[in-house]
């Protein structure tokens, strides 16, 4: 009898899963279909967690948040062409926000696509992705799957984190390879995020500038939260005594109730500071590009920590660039202020900030204490704030216009990497994807505070949330429209036309989640909000609170009203 053993074989399907697992990746967010359905089945069969979505953009957003929380790339898997395109929005958003994720999409055969012969879901995905992500690769041979996935992982997390596109032509998955050769082709990425230390002379320049400051300010961006250098960042703020301002996703690095937080005096400190230390915060539109009336007339000198040298001088001259990873740079500054004879800021500066904070907080408290009917953003958010203050472990997702702007200042955060919002791009639709990503990865409950229009972008994922029985409470701020719900019908030819910003009056979003087995609550007062939110969190079940908000409350575009173009026509 023939005693020669036919060599054991493997295939592209198995090598993709083996390569991900070989790099300690255990979760895939995606939406199946040709050619990845069997790949996702195999992932599950091999013990990976596959979370199936209803739209690829939300799977991608979940993957992005997984990356932000873990510093390992979140994985989103989609079908070719339209599925890839739906995921591309999330990939571009991840890249803009510096969240590490890999969008893996099946694709059509090169020989057909390149001759444009009209393949099923034909698209040149690799080139379509290039402008919107940090790197994009295609793997054509099974023996290259190991190095290809390693390359994608390193590209996603090293340097400035971001989105990577990985293109897998359908035939690649079907290719077979000697099992031993396949095993040897796997690559475990070594030191994917190497420390990048700042030059000593750069550190000294920054310390000398800081020492000369009369009104120093520290600005913490979401990069500072991502860095997971929490203890050193807190020590640098507290040991230097310098007031700090957290950007929205950096809230919680230090508790928002911290004495050195200048959030309640944001306008004052941005205008009055003379030396500003930027830690993981870029001078983009969120910071008025570092110039103009936001920054007042006091000349500013910036110390900027960034991993990328070309970020420096992007908008305004930077007096003391510190290039390196945030952990290494903050650690160097922390050591330096101890040895460089740094003294705490003048009491005149910290006292002025305290005074301004106190005045602003008193003014805000007055609005918060009002209890109008129907509820407005403030009265609803006050009830939510008082519940969340008792549960610092709960993740908060937040999007909308007024809902985003008011929640950012009213809902205090106490722990890092617990607030996920529209971020650098101001994108709507991140809600349910971010909530699922945060719940799956952190294992902690999520409260998603959503404008009703914002919720609409990802609302169908309520079914996903119920299917995986995730402890996510979605609160819809229901004011019957985009921004507000009070626009008139402007159509001179149709008295029954619908105003461009309006939604169904009195919509009951709480009934939506009941359709999938979740628990719905309908609230019209802060007291009802308090009761419903407490019950929903305690239940640990997928829940939705439909919060009726006064359609007249708020402003168009929230605080961005001024970005709406105004015609010069008189
Ligand atoms: C993908 C996408 N589409 C549209 C917008 C424009 N937009 C939209 C549609 C917003 C929603 C505002 O309505 P809302 O009900 O969610 O907010 P309120 O909190 O003001 O009620 S905020 C905003 O900038 C966007 N930012 N992103």
């Amino acid at each position: 009898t023939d005693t020669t053993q036919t060599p054991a074989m493997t295939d592209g399907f198995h090598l993709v899963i083996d390569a991900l697992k070989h790099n300690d990746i255990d979760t895939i967010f995606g939406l199946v279909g040709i050619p990845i359905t069997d790949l996702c089945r195999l992932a599950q069969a091999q013990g990976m967690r596959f979370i199936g979505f209803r739209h690829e953009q939300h799977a991608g957003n979940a993957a992005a948040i997984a990356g932000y929380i873990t510093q390992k790339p979140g994985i989103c898997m989609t079908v070719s062409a339209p599925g890839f395109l739906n995921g591309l929005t999330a990939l571009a958003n991840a890249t803009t926000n510096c969240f590490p994720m890999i969008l893996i999409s099946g694709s059509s055969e090169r020989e057909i696509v390149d001759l444009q012969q009209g393949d099923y879901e034909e698209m040149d995905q690799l080139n379509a992705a290039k402008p919107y992500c940090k790197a994009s690769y295609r793997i054509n041979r099974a023996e290259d799957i190991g190095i290809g996935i390693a390359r994608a992982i390193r590209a996603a997390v090293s340097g400035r984190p971001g989105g990577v596109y990985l293109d897998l032509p359908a035939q690649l998955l079907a290719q077979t390879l000697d099992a031993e050769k396949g095993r040897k082709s796997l690559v475990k990425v070594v030191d994917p995020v190497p420390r990048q230390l700042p030059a000593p002379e750069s550190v000294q320049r920054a310390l000398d500038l800081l020492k000369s400051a009369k009104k120093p300010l520290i600005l913490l961006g979401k990069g500072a939260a991502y860095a997971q250098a929490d203890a050193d960042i807190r020590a640098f703020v507290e040991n230097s005594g310098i007031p700090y301002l957290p950007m929205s996703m950096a809230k919680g690095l230090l508790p928002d109730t911290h004495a050195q937080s200048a959030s309640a005096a944001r306008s004052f400190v941005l205008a009055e500071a003379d030396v500003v230390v930027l830690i993981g915060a870029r001078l983009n539109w969120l910071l008025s590009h570092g110039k103009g009336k936001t920054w007042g007339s006091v000349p500013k000198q910036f110390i900027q920590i960034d991993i990328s040298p070309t970020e420096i001088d992007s908008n305004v001259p930077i007096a003391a660039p510190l290039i390196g990873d945030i952990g290494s740079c903050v650690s160097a500054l922390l050591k330096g202020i101890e040895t460089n004879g740094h003294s705490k800021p003048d009491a005149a500066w910290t006292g002025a900030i305290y005074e301004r904070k106190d005045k602003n907080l008193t003014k805000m408290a007055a609005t918060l204490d009002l209890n109008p009917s129907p509820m407005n953003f403030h009265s609803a958010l006050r009830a939510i704030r008082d519940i969340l203050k008792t549960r610092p472990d709960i993740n908060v997702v937040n999007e909308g216009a007024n809902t985003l702007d008011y929640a950012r200042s009213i809902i205090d955060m106490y722990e890092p990497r617990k607030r996920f919002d529209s971020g650098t791009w101001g994108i709507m639709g991140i809600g349910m994807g971010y909530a699922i990503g945060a719940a799956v990865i952190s294992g902690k409950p999520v409260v998603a505070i959503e404008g009703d229009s914002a919720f609409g972008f990802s609302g169908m994922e309520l079914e996903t949330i119920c299917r995986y029985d995730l402890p996510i409470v979605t609160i819809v701020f229901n004011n019957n429209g985009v921004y507000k719900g009070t626009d008139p019908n402007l159509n001179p030819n149709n008295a029954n036309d619908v105003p461009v910003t309006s939604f169904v009056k009195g919509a009951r979003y709480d009934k939506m989640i009941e359709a999938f087995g979740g628990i719905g609550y309908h609230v019209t007062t802060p007291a009802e909000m308090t009761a419903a939110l407490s019950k929903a969190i305690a239940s640990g079940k997928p829940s939705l609170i439909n919060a009726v908000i006064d359609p007249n409350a708020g402003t168009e575009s929230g605080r961005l009203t001024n970005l709406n173009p105004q015609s010069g026509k008189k």
Side-chain angles (χ1 to χ4, degrees):
T1 53
D2 176 358
T3 54
T4 51
Q5 293 285 328
T6 44
M9 299 299 281
T10 185
D11 62 18
F13 288 101
H14 284 83
L15 285 168
V16 168
I17 304 306
D18 294 347
L20 290 173
K21 290 175 68 176
H22 194 55
N23 284 284
D24 307 322
I25 289 173
D26 59 16
T27 302
I28 295 173
F29 304 91
L31 202 166
V32 295
I34 297 169
I36 61 160
T37 309
D38 283 338
L39 181 59
C40 298
R41 286 192 179 108
L42 180 64
Q44 189 177 64
Q46 302 276 28
M48 289 187 82
R49 185 168 47 179
F50 177 79
I51 307 289
F53 281 74
R54 307 303 300 269
H55 188 291
E56 293 89 348
Q57 181 178 336
H58 313 309
N61 285 334
I65 288 307
Y68 172 67
I69 294 173
T70 63
Q71 297 184 340
K72 290 189 326 189
I75 304 295
C76 175
M77 212 168 261
T78 80
V79 302
S80 40
F84 152 77
L85 276 180
N86 286 345
L88 188 56
T89 304
L91 186 70
N93 183 56
T95 305
T96 306
N97 281 283
C98 313
F99 299 156
M101 73 167 266
I102 303 173
L103 172 63
I104 300 178
S105 297
S107 66
S108 306
E109 300 324 317
R110 305 311 322 142
E111 58 275 16
I112 300 176
V113 173
D114 295 348
L115 280 172
Q116 294 165 31
Q117 293 180 319
D119 198 359
Y120 166 72
E121 293 196 343
E122 175 175 301
M123 177 175 223
D124 181 359
Q125 291 159 211
L126 185 72
N127 286 312
K130 271 193 176 44
Y132 305 111
C133 60
K134 185 178 169 191
S136 65
Y137 307 109
R138 177 186 301 123
I139 303 174
N140 291 300
R141 301 180 304 181
E143 57 264 38
D144 293 334
I145 288 172
I147 198 75
I149 285 190
R151 191 158 171 75
I153 291 170
R154 187 178 294 278
V157 294
S158 62
R160 185 189 295 294
V164 173
Y165 173 60
L166 188 60
D167 187 278
L168 303 184
Q171 283 317 311
L172 169 76
L173 300 174
Q175 285 179 26
T176 56
L177 185 66
D178 171 78
E180 184 52 18
K181 202 174 164 193
R183 193 187 58 73
K184 288 188 178 137
S185 72
L186 299 181
V187 174
K188 182 158 175 66
V189 182
V190 174
D191 194 12
V193 190
R195 290 196 319 143
Q196 294 183 242
L197 309 179
E201 61 274 18
S202 306
V203 174
Q204 195 53 52
R205 181 189 300 116
L207 289 168
D208 293 343
L209 179 54
L210 203 50
K211 198 172 168 183
S212 71
K214 290 282 172 285
K215 300 177 180 179
L217 175 68
I218 293 171
L219 241 167
L220 299 173
K222 67 172 150 344
Y226 175 78
Q228 298 195 20
D230 306 342
D232 273 2
I233 288 172
R234 179 159 190 163
F236 177 59
V237 170
E238 292 182 339
N239 297 5
S240 69
I242 297 174
Y244 75 95
L245 209 50
M247 299 302 283
S248 66
M249 284 180 63
K251 281 164 57 82
L253 260 172
L254 291 89
D256 277 332
T257 48
H258 196 284
Q260 287 172 252
S261 167
S263 292
R266 184 179 193 276
S267 310
F268 175 71
V269 292
L270 289 178
E272 294 300 320
D274 58 1
V275 173
V276 179
V277 188
L278 298 165
I279 303 180
R282 292 170 288 183
L283 286 172
N284 54 25
W285 70 281
L286 287 164
L287 284 168
S288 308
H289 304 286
K291 52 196 167 192
K293 66 179 178 18
T294 303
W295 291 89
S297 53
V298 171
K300 299 284 179 282
Q301 294 196 81
F302 290 97
I303 296 166
Q304 184 163 11
I305 296 177
D306 203 285
I307 194 81
S308 164
T310 53
E311 182 59 34
I312 305 302
D313 302 338
S314 62
N315 284 272
V316 292
I318 301 299
L322 219 46
I323 302 307
D325 67 271
I326 285 174
S328 301
C329 290
V330 171
S331 158
L333 287 178
L334 183 60
K335 287 192 189 73
I337 58 170
E338 277 140 25
T339 56
N340 201 45
H342 174 87
S343 48
K344 304 261 182 182
D346 292 349
W349 172 231
T350 50
I353 294 171
Y354 192 80
E355 211 176 284
R356 185 60 65 99
K357 264 175 78 170
D358 194 41
K359 186 168 136 252
N360 291 343
L361 288 171
T362 307
K363 205 165 69 179
M364 185 196 280
T367 54
L368 284 172
D369 285 348
L370 300 177
N371 195 2
S373 179
M375 278 191 291
N376 61 20
F377 292 97
H378 291 84
S379 57
L381 285 166
R382 175 192 59 201
I384 297 168
R385 176 201 62 191
D386 293 348
I387 299 277
L388 292 179
K389 149 165 84 180
T390 65
R391 285 294 305 272
D393 61 313
I394 288 184
N395 297 290
V396 174
V397 171
N398 184 210
E399 61 175 342
N402 296 283
T403 308
L404 177 69
D405 293 340
Y406 290 127
R408 179 175 40 235
S409 53
I410 293 171
I411 305 291
D412 289 329
M413 301 306 293
Y414 302 89
E415 292 179 10
R417 295 173 297 283
K418 288 281 181 185
R419 181 185 158 93
F420 311 95
D421 61 32
S422 300
T424 307
W425 233 11
I427 186 171
M428 291 300 115
I430 51 94
M432 298 303 99
Y434 279 16
I436 294 167
V440 166
I441 296 299
S442 73
K444 290 286 186 182
V446 176
V447 170
I449 304 172
E450 298 276 305
D452 49 350
S453 164
F455 168 71
F457 288 80
S458 65
M460 190 58 211
E461 302 299 341
L462 286 178
E463 187 278 328
T464 307
I465 291 169
C466 292
R467 186 168 7 109
Y468 292 98
D469 195 23
L470 296 171
I472 298 171
V473 183
T474 301
I475 305 173
V476 179
F477 275 51
N478 186 351
N479 61 354
N480 293 332
V482 183
Y483 310 125
K484 301 172 68 167
T486 53
D487 259 19
N489 162 18
L490 300 173
N491 186 339
N493 306 322
N494 174 1
N496 299 318
D497 203 349
V498 178
V500 295
T501 59
S502 292
F503 294 147
V504 163
K505 291 236 177 310
R508 291 294 301 268
Y509 298 101
D510 51 312
K511 299 292 176 197
M512 266 178 84
I513 197 163
E514 289 171 3
F516 307 122
I519 306 169
Y521 303 82
H522 176 71
V523 303
T524 59
T525 67
E528 288 175 1
M529 173 73 86
T530 301
L533 183 53
S534 305
K535 198 164 168 216
I537 291 170
S539 75
K541 304 303 282 176
S543 308
L544 187 144
I545 299 174
N546 185 52
V548 178
I549 301 291
D550 178 357
N552 288 291
T555 59
E556 171 136 338
S557 305
R559 72 182 178 92
L560 302 183
T561 305
N562 62 309
L563 293 184
N564 285 295
Q566 302 297 331
S567 163
K569 179 173 168 298
K570 292 289 171 252

